[in-house]
């Protein structure tokens, strides 16, 4: 497998550069070593970044990939003196759009947050809500939830909930279906008045077995027999309650979120 180092270099937090890094997923034949250099906002820091790029090129035997979001033109130009392949947010996207709109773009660090204004604040509020309502942590405030994810333990509820909150400002609570629910044969009572908000996740038994085994190897909880039983029972509970669900086995959180967003949109 090919080896390349990828640098995410930004004059701010690097969140936008990290988002551009999703492009790497299209190249599974390369083993990418990721190096993040946020707050690279002075020439001295640029020089340190150049040294790191040079060292990585020598170790890999190939020039590094640099994904950069630097608003300062001088810093950008200096960094580009390095021998690397550059994916430059400003040169590739912002500057051409500036010409099309005949408008000067803002170039300071954190522009995305300031431009989004209240939308950014809404996302942060959603993240806080989601973290406070992770794994059935509390029943308080469920009426504020935009969506409530349910499913067996370790089927992907938490990462999907957090992604919905961070990317879309969705207040996503999540509840694990546990042995007590299976024995009772119904959803937790607290969820009954929120059925219109509930979306289920399921997963293939073999995948669930592998995930649980990493956490509690050799336990009954992780056994393939228990995984099969829990999944069948959970799906029956959701079916009887009229809840839509999606299989998380081979889907990314982005795909699952898109499915949930579409369901939420139709329901609203």
């Amino acid at each position: 497998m090919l080896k390349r180092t990828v640098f995410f270099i930004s004059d701010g937090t690097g969140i936008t550069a990290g988002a551009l890094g999703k492009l790497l997923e299209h190249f599974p034949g390369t083993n990418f070593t990721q190096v993040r250099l946020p707050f690279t906002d002075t020439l001295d820091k640029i020089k340190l970044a150049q040294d790191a790029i040079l060292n990585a090129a020598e170790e890999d035997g190939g020039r590094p990939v640099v994904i950069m979001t630097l608003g300062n033109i001088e810093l950008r130009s200096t960094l580009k003196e390095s021998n690397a392949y550059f994916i430059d947010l400003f040169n590739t996207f912002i500057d051409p759009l500036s010409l099309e709109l005949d408008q000067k773009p803002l170039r300071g660090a954190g522009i995305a947050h300031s431009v989004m204004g209240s939308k950014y604040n809404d996302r942060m509020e959603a993240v806080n809500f989601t973290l406070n309502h992770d794994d059935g942590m509390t029943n308080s405030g469920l009426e504020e939830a935009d969506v409530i994810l349910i499913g067996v333990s370790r089927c992907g509820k938490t990462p999907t909930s957090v992604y919905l909150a961070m990317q879309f400002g969705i207040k996503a609570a999540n509840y694990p279906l546990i042995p007590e629910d299976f024995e009772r044969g119904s959803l937790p009572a607290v969820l009954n008045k929120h059925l219109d908000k509930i979306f289920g996740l399921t997963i293939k038994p073999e995948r669930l077995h592998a995930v649980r085994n990493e956490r509690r190897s050799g336990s009954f909880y992780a056994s393939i027999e228990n995984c099969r039983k829990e999944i069948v029972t959970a799906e029956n509970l959701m079916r009887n309650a009229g809840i839509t669900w999606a299989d998380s086995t081979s889907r990314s959180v982005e795909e699952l979120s898109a499915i949930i967003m579409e369901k939420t949109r139709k329901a609203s």
Side-chain angles (χ1 to χ4, degrees), residues 136-156:
M137 192 179 300
T138 178
N139 299 333
S140 175
L142 280 181
E143 65 279 357
E144 297 179 29
D146 297 307
V147 66
I148 302 171
L149 300 185
I150 65 171
V152 299
S153 170
R154 311 301 288 178
C155 70

Side-chain angles (χ1 to χ4, degrees), residues 6-247:
V6 182
F7 288 88
F8 298 88
I9 302 179
S10 172
D11 50 13
T13 61
I15 292 174
T16 303
L20 288 174
K22 299 295 290 182
L23 295 168
L24 304 177
E25 294 179 3
H26 293 273
F27 304 96
T30 300
N31 181 22
F32 293 106
T33 300
Q34 300 187 16
V35 178
R36 299 179 184 275
L37 300 176
F39 306 111
T40 302
D41 51 6
T42 67
L43 281 174
D44 285 341
K45 292 179 180 178
I46 289 291
K47 295 296 184 185
L48 291 174
Q50 287 179 310
D51 290 341
I53 290 169
L54 178 61
N55 291 335
E58 293 175 350
E59 290 180 11
D60 294 348
R63 62 179 183 163
V65 175
V66 175
I67 299 177
M68 57 191 289
T69 53
L70 295 173
N72 184 288
I73 295 175
E74 181 184 5
L75 298 183
R76 266 195 279 162
S77 299
T78 302
L79 184 61
K80 286 185 176 180
E81 293 172 3
S82 303
N83 183 22
Y85 176 78
F86 290 93
I87 299 174
D88 182 345
L89 172 73
F90 281 88
N91 278 2
T92 306
F93 301 107
I94 304 298
D95 291 342
L97 186 58
S98 169
L99 292 174
E100 174 63 25
L101 299 177
D102 191 25
Q103 187 177 135
K104 264 192 168 182
L106 299 174
R107 298 180 182 274
I111 289 300
H113 293 176
S114 61
V115 170
M116 286 187 294
S118 62
K119 289 185 179 179
Y120 174 73
N121 293 330
D122 289 345
R123 289 216 311 262
M124 294 304 100
E125 183 181 342
V127 169
N128 287 330
F129 177 91
T130 296
L131 294 177
N132 288 330
H133 291 79
D134 180 43
D135 212 27
M137 192 179 300
T138 178
N139 299 333
S140 175
L142 280 181
E143 65 279 357
E144 297 179 29
D146 297 307
V147 66
I148 302 171
L149 300 185
I150 65 171
V152 299
S153 170
R154 311 301 288 178
C155 70
K157 300 183 300 300
T158 295
T160 305
S161 298
V162 172
Y163 186 85
L164 282 167
M166 291 186 68
Q167 295 297 318
F168 304 110
I170 296 291
K171 291 182 177 179
N174 75 78
Y175 257 78
L177 295 178
I178 59 177
E180 286 82 351
D181 302 319
F182 303 146
E183 292 171 8
R184 187 177 59 248
S186 63
L187 298 178
V190 69
L191 299 181
N192 288 333
K193 57 184 177 181
H194 302 294
L195 291 177
D196 58 326
K197 297 179 178 182
I198 297 177
F199 192 93
L201 294 182
T202 190
I203 188 172
K204 293 289 187 293
E206 295 76 16
R207 176 58 183 159
L208 183 61
H209 167 64
V211 172
R212 287 183 172 183
N213 221 32
E214 290 177 3
R215 188 180 187 187
R216 290 167 58 181
S217 180
S219 65
F220 174 75
Y221 164 80
S223 68
I224 188 66
E225 294 81 8
N226 183 55
C227 290
R228 288 194 182 108
K229 182 179 179 181
E230 284 196 14
I231 290 166
V232 168
T233 309
E235 289 181 357
N236 284 335
L237 288 182
M238 292 189 284
R239 185 180 294 110
N240 292 337
I243 292 168
T244 303
W245 72 79
D247 191 331

